[in-house]
Amino acid sequence: MAVMSDDTAVLSFLRTSFPQVRGILDCSGRDLRDRARIVTESTKAMAATVVLSQAQSDLATVGYFQGRLKTVWTMLEDDADVFDVQNAVSSGCYGLIGRDCTPVFEAYALYGRAGGNKGAKSGLPGARYSLNIAHRGLPYSYAENTVEGAAAAVAAGATHIEIDALLSADGEIVIMHD
């Protein structure tokens, strides 16, 4: 089950009380100028998914949230047409929310005809870009959780690096697994 709200306190309460419930932060009515704050709020509220309005769902904004490991859904306007659906899909969003699914089905049918691939099945192409996450750097070539390993992972094509960062009792950052 998932619960969508624009109130992070509601999401925090639900996720704390019912850990099996997924939290979805509705940002469709928010000002997105401080996207970093929204990522922080959604993370504290244990919401891995954010919903953006159709107007907010451009490639840069969707990519920003996805790059911070948030799943992005687009809320289509009531008068959305096939072109609006294609724009939303092209932004890289994971899913679409709308009252009328007709333009979604029409857009879906068009993708199957595009490009002239005779053996292709009808359907949407993989519009989302992949994240290439390096686990602790490039551990087969460099020590894990090191600057050298992180630099090598980026040079090898990593878009993100997962490291184990902890805060010591005296407030120092420690990079160490377990």
Side-chain angles (χ1 to χ4, degrees):
M1 177 162 77
V3 174
M4 182 170 75
S5 176
D6 61 355
D7 186 340
T8 55
V10 168
L11 295 175
S12 292
F13 170 77
L14 286 168
R15 290 282 289 144
T16 303
S17 302
F18 308 99
Q20 69 277 18
V21 174
R22 299 283 181 204
I24 302 171
L25 181 60
D26 182 1
C27 298
S28 62
R30 285 184 154 199
D31 179 355
L32 296 184
R33 282 182 277 195
D34 191 358
R35 297 181 294 190
R37 183 179 52 79
I38 292 171
V39 169
T40 301
E41 287 178 10
S42 64
T43 300
K44 286 181 180 177
M46 296 172 275
T49 302
V50 296
V51 173
L52 304 178
S53 71
Q54 184 177 310
Q56 294 168 322
S57 293
D58 57 57
L59 187 61
T61 303
V62 172
Y64 178 86
F65 285 111
Q66 286 179 338
R68 279 127 191 103
L69 305 180
K70 298 296 177 189
T71 301
V72 179
W73 285 67
T74 297
M75 179 85 65
L76 296 172
E77 300 292 331
D78 287 340
D79 61 348
D81 60 18
V82 172
F83 184 73
D84 295 324
V85 171
Q86 290 173 326
N87 277 341
V89 170
S90 296
S91 76
C93 73
Y94 187 79
L96 304 170
I97 302 170
R99 295 181 195 268
D100 181 8
C101 293
T102 304
V104 175
F105 293 129
E106 290 172 356
Y108 187 83
L110 289 174
Y111 280 109
R113 290 185 230 135
N117 187 350
K118 293 179 180 155
K121 293 181 179 177
S122 179
L124 297 174
R128 293 184 314 259
Y129 63 88
S130 298
L131 303 179
N132 183 356
I133 303 171
H135 186 237
R136 300 185 200 136
L138 199 62
Y140 293 109
S141 303
Y142 295 87
E144 293 182 346
N145 292 320
T146 63
V147 172
E148 294 82 8
V154 169
T159 59
H160 293 74
I161 299 173
E162 182 276 330
I163 58 172
D164 301 296
L166 303 169
L167 206 54
S168 66
D170 60 353
E172 295 294 319
I173 297 173
V174 178
I175 308 296
M176 181 188 313
H177 181 60
D178 296 332

